[in-house]
Amino acid sequence: MTTPEPIDLVIFSSSILHGEALTETAGFVAISNGRIAHVGRADGEQAANPTAEWTARAKHVIDVGDATICPGLIDAHIHPIHGAEIARGLDLGGVTELDAVRTALARHAVSRPHAVGSDWLFAWGLDPVIFGDAVFDNSLFDGILDDELVFITLFDGHASLVSDAALKLAGVTGTEELPSTGYVGVDQHGKPNGMLYEMAAQDLVRGILPQPSFDQRVDELGELLRSMAEAGLVAGQMLDFGAPDTLEVLEALERRGELAIRLRISPWVMPGATEEDLKAMLAMQGRHGRRWHVHGIKLMMDGTIDNGTAWLFEPDTHGESLHPLWHDPEALAAAMKFFHEHRVPTTTHAIGDKAVSFVARTIGTLPKNGTVHRIEHIESIPDSVLAEIISAGAATSLQPTHCALYSRADHSDNWSRRLGSKRANHAWRTRDLRDAGAIVALGSDWPIAPFDPRAIIASAQTRRPAGRPDVEPVQPRQSLSARAALEGYTSQYWRSVGEAGGIVESGARADLTIVGHNPLTTAPDEFAQTPVILTVVDGEIVVDNFQALAKGIADLGEESFQPA
């Protein structure tokens, strides 16, 4: 007689979002060896699978009452290691007035801690709306940061504003030839004005910046991944390989224990990449640890609309955004073809309408071999380009809070003013893409925007910041349904990388996010505040707030989760 397999964990709930249809059912989820062994339902199915049969074999049994068991939430776009280099110093996020930025910088200059690198002033999240229609330059430092070493990353991560002292120390002249169409901003006399556009230009100064120690970076990564798990994420797709010691950082963290979430790493291939570079990235595929693995490639077709480095069919209102990031866009197409032939999926940053069109048409020319290619961001496109995406069979990945946090319905923001009203009205067409049959994965692009999936799922439905009903929605007809928003973090994500997953059913990976309120029936702003009860990764509970909430430490309100 065969001995039944042991069950590691059984979770009971009156609200399980089960199967592809996300049907709400009462019952339990039994987990064994990192997989869902069985979903027991309280609608009569259990007659053939008695509850006692499963609980008797379980090492651990939890009843979360009315809390909802969801498929594990996955962020399609994060930069957990490279992002730490961006998110240094003073956070200027949400500061939209020039005088307020100057005041914040002056205060930070006085209060910054005396430590390694304290000769430098770092800040991030700067919104270019502070410049109005003026030229972007470092004149905002005048009178407050004279002769200081200053490095500030703009909110989109694609440009930096640095002081004259920093430019001098780095030897930046403004005449540098770069491997991409990124460039050093200069004034009317050809003198660098403090703006460094795109990574190749930013790296001219980044190379001399003081860096945290290796152990500090490992600590920061561990804390970040833990915070992501506490917000309900079970995994994220890391779309870069920016730090040369990325693998060493991951391996060092794993020697301390398990990563709090799983990472799928798609290293980037930047403009100027050689055939040897492509082969090196191909050789990287399959490298892995226990909760991280390298699979896929990240490409970048253009920059950003806010900085005038996107690739548009027609110039923006400043006469900019007319060039791809690659000097020869066909070189990117050749790189995509190379990886396609080796069945390596790609995801390509494409923000401007011409960039999206080029990438979609490139994907459409590739012979079908089962490899899925994804387009990232897609901030403003006309109907004709949307049709090209559908015709190509490309998957898509969008970030709802880029729209909700950084653009405005009245077009007063920098992004909208750059595009003009007609193109700004085509902002982040999530609903149109889903309705047309496209795969639409969702994410944050952390550190460009906060990573909390609850708030992003809410903003995908409201087209405004979570918890801000006073803010007018941006193109509300593009709002997703609650189900489509949840699928963007679950089954649509898995489809966007060409794999099955994101469904609570027998045989599936045991990735679960258990939250206090049902995301399909709860008002979006309320769901943004719902507590995370458990986060389960590969069948292991990595975040456990059950006991604290069961004891009444958190007041969840009248229709809250009720522990049994």
Side-chain angles (χ1 to χ4, degrees), residues 15-30:
S15 177
I16 302 170
L17 301 184
H18 174 250
E20 186 174 351
L22 295 172
T23 303
E24 185 175 22
T25 184
F28 66 89
V29 177

Side-chain angles (χ1 to χ4, degrees), residues 24 39 136 149 178 182 212 221 226 322 342 346-347 369 390 417 452 469-470 479-480 497 504 517 541 544:
E24 185 175 22
V39 180
F136 296 4
L149 294 170
L178 302 176
L221 178 61
R226 167 57 53 180
L322 285 174
H342 289 89
T346 65
T347 184
N369 66 2
I390 303 304
R417 293 206 313 266
D452 195 319
D470 57 306
S479 62
L480 291 177
V497 294
V504 179
H517 299 82
I541 297 175
D544 186 353

Side-chain angles (χ1 to χ4, degrees), residues 62-64 531-534 543-556 561-563:
I62 300 176
D63 188 336
V64 297
V532 174
I533 312 301
L534 301 172
V543 172
D544 186 353
N545 293 319
F546 175 71
Q547 293 299 329
L549 293 169
K551 291 176 181 176
I553 292 177
D555 179 8
L556 303 181
F561 127 80
Q562 297 294 328

Side-chain angles (χ1 to χ4, degrees), residues 319-371:
E320 298 178 334
S321 280
L322 285 174
H323 305 286
L325 198 57
W326 294 60
H327 289 297
D328 176 12
E330 292 300 331
L332 181 144
M336 185 180 292
K337 180 180 179 182
F338 171 85
F339 290 111
H340 179 80
E341 290 172 346
H342 289 89
R343 288 179 164 77
V344 176
T346 65
T347 184
T348 303
H349 168 120
I351 282 180
D353 49 16
K354 192 169 184 179
V356 177
S357 175
F358 183 91
V359 175
R361 287 185 286 109
T362 298
I363 293 172
T365 65
L366 301 174
K368 303 302 180 185
N369 66 2
T371 306

Side-chain angles (χ1 to χ4, degrees), residues 284-429:
M284 283 286 298
Q285 304 299 309
R287 291 286 299 271
H288 67 90
R290 295 188 299 275
R291 280 194 181 154
W292 61 268
H293 71 291
V294 178
H295 190 49
I297 288 293
K298 164 76 178 297
L299 298 163
M300 295 183 67
M301 189 73 257
D302 64 349
T304 67
I305 288 165
D306 279 286
N307 292 318
T309 56
W311 192 18
L312 301 170
F313 283 113
E314 300 294 336
D316 66 15
T317 57
H318 291 215
E320 298 178 334
S321 280
L322 285 174
H323 305 286
L325 198 57
W326 294 60
H327 289 297
D328 176 12
E330 292 300 331
L332 181 144
M336 185 180 292
K337 180 180 179 182
F338 171 85
F339 290 111
H340 179 80
E341 290 172 346
H342 289 89
R343 288 179 164 77
V344 176
T346 65
T347 184
T348 303
H349 168 120
I351 282 180
D353 49 16
K354 192 169 184 179
V356 177
S357 175
F358 183 91
V359 175
R361 287 185 286 109
T362 298
I363 293 172
T365 65
L366 301 174
K368 303 302 180 185
N369 66 2
T371 306
V372 175
H373 299 282
R374 196 171 82 196
I375 306 176
E376 208 74 27
H377 302 309
I378 313 178
E379 292 188 357
S380 174
I381 53 170
D383 290 346
S384 58
V385 176
L386 192 148
E388 288 178 331
I389 295 171
I390 303 304
S391 175
T396 72
S397 169
L398 286 86
Q399 298 73 41
T401 44
H402 287 199
C403 172
L405 297 178
Y406 306 132
S407 65
R408 298 288 179 268
D410 64 2
H411 297 168
S412 62
D413 59 285
N414 178 65
W415 183 90
S416 298
R417 293 206 313 266
R418 283 259 185 179
L419 282 178
S421 291
K422 182 178 179 181
R423 288 182 291 191
N425 285 335
H426 289 155
W428 289 272
R429 298 178 66 177

Side-chain angles (χ1 to χ4, degrees), residues 87-88 172 261 405 446 485 487 521:
R88 297 182 70 177
V172 176
I261 69 170
L405 297 178
W446 187 89
E487 288 173 338
T521 58

